[in-house]
């Protein structure tokens, strides 16, 4: 068994594991470290039972002695376990290993499986995406260049896509290698969100650079995942020219904290792609939800949802659906999510969101937000609440009605909501640094607090990573947070690690070629390494052997641990 730490520099506390067995088995593992809850997962394999095993192992506690029990189970249910010890790598960031539990789940309360992905605890230093389990224990640290990742998207080739900066979209395989790294070029930068279309290309919210009017966060572009080419789909400034002209040329650009006098007149923060080629957008600056038809061919406005008076006197003011029922409209909503439901008639769907309940617009300084009942206009308040909200939209009748809502901790900006497969609802109140799970009645089941690096946690979504690093269907899948594609499938062997393994008697030769996006921290390296294994232990025939990896002789029936590591990166 060959085990080494994070060979691609993309998940600090992960391990790469490779071994073969004489019989076909399924593989699971449990990570144990004193003082922390155990972490158990099934390892991904292309078939349930296999003789070749290669996977990324998550969940080690940084800086602690971890005992990893790897269990092999054959089709008859017979199992055997091999244990290795490995001291977890030191973190690159300053995040908590154990989050504060502000509300602990009751004994027996099932929060579901999966991992919380912390998307955007922004800082002025190295930025990261983090994985935490449902006990609030850190299980992954994924470096990004800067800015943040906004969500995870999986394609049909088993690659997981996410943003690594305002300029970069990357695709990671199930072993942690970045198979594709695309720069958006000199014309656009990403902000806030993206989604995968039915062709596997990525549609992104963007800012166009070099504009004479300094307008920001009002473009929609498409990235070809096969070629890396970028094309513009929509300029909202042209689609809504009348409204744009009614706003003042003022504001800032969140993607560039040093920018001044930017024209942030719309500020789209979420995109949802629908199967018919249309799309839903959340516009924070106008507290409006916008549906656009034929997004990738001939984009036209279909309708809007929200407070119509914000758009009064413009060409778009007549495009609003009618509110059905006695409830207030949203104030600067985030994380809208489209939900198709087969039980509904054609032309109807559900949509839920995090309603910040905050009324402000730097480009409409004279607008009176009190027209929305109960809305707060305070950036900080001990009495205000934000809300989880769910609408039923009836396009046939031209109406929308609220079918569910409850109060959550107040966060005037950012934040997210996600309905999980177990019926619970995950809420991130970003400016409070709080995220937790609620039942459908709005009762808080569990809540965690994370120390803020600057001002907020942008989003928290939960992913089961089904077919990517685990075969299990554990909780809300990768399709549950705005991704139209199916959950990640397996990668073809040989793995993209580009390793060739040659066994002659007791000799294993590993020839690796390593790539890393973060080349300034982990330069690319190439090593030809020979490990000679015998019944008594291991000898090493390479000048670059240093302390730290584990190699276990599975064929001798003897487990040898605490070995030296080959340091692939310095």
């Amino acid at each position: 068994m060959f085990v080494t730490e994070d060979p691609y520099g993309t998940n600090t506390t992960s391990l790469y594991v490779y071994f073969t067995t004489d019989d076909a088995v399924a593989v699971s593992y449990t990570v144990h470290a004193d003082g922390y809850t155990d972490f158990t997962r099934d390892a991904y394999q292309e078939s349930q039972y296999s003789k070749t095993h290669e996977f990324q192992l998550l969940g080690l506690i940084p800086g602690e002695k971890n005992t990893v029990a790897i269990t092999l189970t054959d089709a008859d249910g017979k199992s055997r376990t091999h244990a290795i010890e490995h001291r977890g790598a030191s973190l690159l960031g300053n995040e908590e290993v154990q989050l504060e539990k502000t509300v602990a789940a009751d004994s027996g309360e099932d929060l579901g499986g999966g991992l919380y992905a912390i998307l955007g605890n922004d800082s002025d230093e190295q930025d990261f995406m983090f994985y935490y389990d449902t006990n609030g224990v850190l299980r992954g640290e994924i470096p990004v260049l800067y800015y943040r990742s906004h969500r995870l998207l999986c394609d049909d080739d088993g690659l997981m896509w996410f943003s690594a900066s305002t300029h970069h979209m990357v695709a990671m395989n199930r072993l942690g290698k970045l198979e594709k790294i695309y720069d958006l070029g000199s014309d656009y930068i990403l902000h806030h969100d993206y989604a995968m279309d039915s062709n596997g290309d990525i549609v992104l919210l963007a800012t166009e650079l070099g504009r004479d009017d300094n307008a920001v966060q009002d473009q929609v572009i498409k990235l070809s995942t096969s070629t890396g080419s970028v094309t513009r789909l929509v300029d909202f400034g042209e689609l809504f020219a009348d409204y744009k002209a009614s706003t003042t040329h003022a504001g800032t650009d969140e993607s560039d904290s040093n920018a001044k006098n930017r024209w942030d007149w719309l500020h789209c923060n979420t995109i949802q792609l629908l199967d018919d080629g249309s799309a839903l957008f959340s516009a924070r600056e106008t507290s409006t939800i916008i549906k656009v038809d034929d997004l990738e061919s001939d984009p036209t406005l279909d309708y809007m949802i929200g407070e119509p008076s914000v758009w009064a006197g413009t060409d778009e003011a007549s495009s609003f659906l009618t509110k059905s029922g006695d409830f207030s409209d949203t104030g600067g909503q985030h994380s809208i999510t489209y939900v198709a439901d087969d039980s509904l008639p054609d032309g109807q769907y559900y949509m839920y969101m995090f309603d910040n309940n905050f009324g402000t617009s730097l480009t409409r300084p004279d607008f009176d937000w009190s027209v929305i009942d109960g809305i707060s206009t305070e950036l900080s308040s001990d009495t205000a609440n934000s809300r989880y909200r769910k609408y039923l939209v009836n396009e046939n009748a031209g109406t929308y009605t609220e079918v569910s809502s409850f109060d959550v901790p107040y966060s005037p900006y950012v934040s997210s909501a996600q309905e999980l497969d177990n019926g619970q609802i995950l809420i991130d109140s970003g400016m409070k640094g709080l995220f937790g799970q609620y039942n459908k009645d709005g009762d808080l089941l569990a809540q965690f607090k994370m120390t803020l690096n600057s001002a907020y946690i942008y989003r928290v979504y939960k992913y089961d990573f089904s077919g990517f690093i685990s075969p299990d269907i554990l909780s809300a899948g990768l399709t549950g947070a705005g991704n139209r594609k199916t959950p990640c499938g397996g990668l073809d062997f040989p793995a993209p690690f580009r390793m060739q393994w040659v066994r002659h008697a007791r000799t294993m030769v590993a020839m690796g070629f390593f790539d890393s996006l973060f080349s300034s921290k982990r330069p690319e390296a190439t090593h030809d390494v020979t490990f000679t294994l015998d019944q008594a232990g291991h000898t090493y025939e390479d000048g670059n052997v240093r302390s730290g990896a584990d190699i276990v002789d599975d064929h001798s029936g003897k487990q040898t641990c605490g070995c030296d590591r080959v340091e692939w990166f310095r």
Side-chain angles (χ1 to χ4, degrees):
M1 181 180 292
F2 177 75
V3 180
T4 193
E5 261 177 23
D6 185 25
Y8 299 115
T10 55
N11 191 340
T12 310
T13 59
S14 68
L15 298 177
Y16 167 85
V17 179
Y18 177 92
F19 61 96
T20 61
T21 50
D22 293 332
D23 54 337
V25 295
V27 180
S28 62
Y29 62 88
T30 296
V31 178
H32 171 81
D34 290 346
Y36 299 90
T37 53
D38 288 353
F39 181 76
T40 299
R41 288 294 184 271
D42 293 333
Y44 174 81
Q45 298 187 148
E46 290 187 1
S47 57
Q48 183 178 3
Y49 302 101
S50 177
K51 295 183 179 181
T52 300
H53 315 280
E54 184 178 35
F55 56 92
Q56 185 184 61
L57 189 152
L58 301 185
L60 271 70
I61 302 300
E64 300 292 337
K65 183 180 76 172
N66 294 264
T67 301
V68 183
I70 298 178
T71 300
L72 313 180
T73 305
D74 65 22
D76 294 328
K78 297 178 181 178
S79 64
R80 58 194 186 272
T81 298
H82 302 262
I84 61 175
E85 291 184 352
H86 190 101
R87 186 164 295 279
S90 298
L91 295 175
L92 300 177
N94 60 359
E95 67 273 16
E96 299 105 316
V97 176
Q98 173 69 68
L99 295 178
E100 177 188 351
K101 295 181 181 180
T102 55
V103 176
D106 290 340
S107 178
E109 183 68 60
D110 183 10
L111 298 177
L115 294 171
Y116 302 116
I118 310 298
L119 304 164
N121 191 352
D122 300 0
S123 73
D124 294 329
E125 306 298 330
Q126 172 76 60
D127 286 310
F128 301 91
M129 173 170 55
F130 307 110
Y131 299 154
Y132 283 88
D133 66 21
T134 52
N135 292 295
V137 178
L138 181 71
R139 300 300 180 180
E141 180 194 68
I142 296 83
V144 298
L145 289 174
Y146 57 89
Y147 196 41
R148 69 177 78 102
S149 303
H150 296 79
R151 68 170 77 232
L152 306 178
L153 306 174
C154 278
D155 65 19
D156 292 335
D157 296 321
L159 298 178
M160 183 175 74
W161 291 84
F162 55 94
S163 55
S165 77
T166 55
H167 286 275
H168 295 91
M169 292 295 297
V170 301
M172 180 188 292
N173 70 28
R174 63 179 178 84
L175 300 177
K177 179 184 176 182
L178 299 180
E179 291 272 348
K180 296 183 180 182
I181 303 170
Y182 286 144
D183 191 316
L184 298 180
S186 59
D187 293 332
Y188 300 98
I189 57 173
L190 159 74
H191 77 88
H192 289 339
D193 208 9
Y194 38 80
M196 187 168 284
D197 70 12
S198 58
N199 296 317
D201 294 324
I202 298 176
V203 179
L204 308 94
L205 304 179
T207 288
E208 184 178 18
L209 302 175
R211 293 182 63 97
D212 292 338
D213 65 1
N214 289 326
V216 297
Q217 308 195 68
D218 60 354
Q219 306 290 309
V220 184
I221 61 176
K222 181 170 71 172
L223 170 69
S224 168
T225 55
S226 57
T227 68
S229 62
V230 175
T231 55
R232 175 159 55 192
L233 299 179
V234 179
D235 179 345
F236 279 117
E238 293 180 0
L239 191 62
F240 302 143
D242 195 37
Y243 179 82
K244 179 181 177 181
S246 73
T247 65
T248 60
H249 192 151
T252 60
D253 178 4
E254 187 196 8
S255 301
D256 181 359
S257 60
N258 296 317
K260 304 297 181 185
N261 199 34
R262 297 292 174 87
W263 198 357
D264 192 5
W265 62 275
L266 189 66
H267 196 106
C268 288
N269 58 37
T270 316
I271 179 173
Q272 295 279 285
L273 299 180
L274 281 60
D275 289 338
D276 63 359
S278 63
L280 291 167
F281 298 89
S282 168
R284 189 197 74 188
E285 187 76 356
T286 63
S287 295
T288 309
I289 298 163
I290 301 165
K291 187 182 180 193
V292 174
D293 284 337
D294 302 319
L295 177 67
E296 298 191 33
S297 55
D298 182 25
T300 55
L301 173 64
D302 188 357
Y303 56 78
M304 296 185 179
I305 296 173
E307 172 53 50
S309 63
V310 178
W311 294 70
T314 70
D315 294 340
E316 297 79 25
S318 61
S319 301
F320 280 79
L321 297 187
T322 300
K323 179 167 60 176
S324 176
D326 183 18
F327 58 95
S328 61
D329 279 302
T330 59
Q333 70 291 323
H334 280 74
S335 185
I336 67 167
T337 302
Y338 167 85
V339 181
D341 189 322
D342 291 340
S343 68
L344 295 175
D346 290 344
Q348 295 186 29
Y349 63 88
Y350 292 111
M351 175 176 56
Y352 66 85
M353 71 205 75
F354 185 99
D355 175 16
N356 300 80
N357 193 35
F358 179 51
T360 188
S361 174
L362 294 175
T363 58
R364 295 286 303 279
D366 297 330
F367 184 79
D368 182 5
W369 287 97
S370 65
V371 67
I372 298 177
D373 185 43
I375 200 168
S376 173
T377 57
E378 300 297 325
L379 190 59
S380 178
S381 173
D382 294 329
T383 58
N385 291 302
S386 296
R387 295 183 67 78
Y388 157 80
R389 309 185 74 162
K390 187 172 186 176
Y391 289 166
L392 172 62
V393 179
N394 187 337
E395 295 180 323
N396 305 317
T399 62
Y400 65 100
T401 188
E402 184 177 85
V403 296
S404 179
S405 68
F406 54 80
D407 290 344
V408 298
Y410 183 58
S411 180
Y413 288 119
V414 302
S415 308
S416 60
Q418 182 188 14
E419 293 185 349
L420 306 178
D421 285 351
N422 64 359
Q424 296 172 11
I425 300 161
L426 172 62
I427 296 292
D428 162 43
S429 292
M431 295 187 73
K432 289 284 201 302
L434 295 171
F435 66 93
Q437 288 184 213
Y438 295 73
N439 66 21
K440 63 181 181 180
D441 296 322
D443 299 320
L444 182 58
L445 305 176
Q447 187 179 70
F448 303 95
K449 183 175 181 62
M450 189 173 192
T451 301
L452 299 178
N453 287 327
S454 55
Y456 50 74
I457 297 171
Y458 183 69
R459 283 176 178 165
V460 178
Y461 285 146
K462 199 179 201 184
Y463 296 96
D464 63 19
F465 298 98
S466 172
F468 187 66
I469 55 176
S470 170
D472 295 330
I473 302 299
L474 293 171
S475 183
L478 286 160
T479 56
N483 180 16
R484 291 179 57 191
K485 303 299 284 185
T486 57
C488 292
L491 295 171
D492 293 333
F493 192 85
F497 198 27
R498 302 208 304 272
M499 274 198 166
Q500 299 175 4
W501 299 89
V502 183
R503 283 186 175 272
H504 297 291
R506 309 301 301 163
T507 301
M508 179 173 66
V509 180
M511 292 164 285
F513 304 87
F514 302 90
D515 303 311
S516 176
L517 172 62
F518 312 104
S519 56
S520 62
K521 295 185 182 337
R522 296 176 180 265
E524 186 172 301
T526 301
H527 295 293
D528 293 341
V529 186
T530 301
F531 306 103
T532 301
L533 287 71
D534 58 26
Q535 296 290 334
H538 314 289
T539 59
Y540 300 84
E541 300 173 0
D542 185 271
N544 292 310
V545 175
R546 303 184 181 92
S547 62
D550 309 296
I551 300 176
V552 179
D553 184 1
D554 186 39
H555 288 263
S556 68
K558 177 179 180 181
Q559 302 166 42
T560 307
C561 306
C563 310
D564 286 343
R565 171 192 312 147
V566 178
E567 288 232 3
W568 306 102
F569 297 104
R570 292 300 285 172

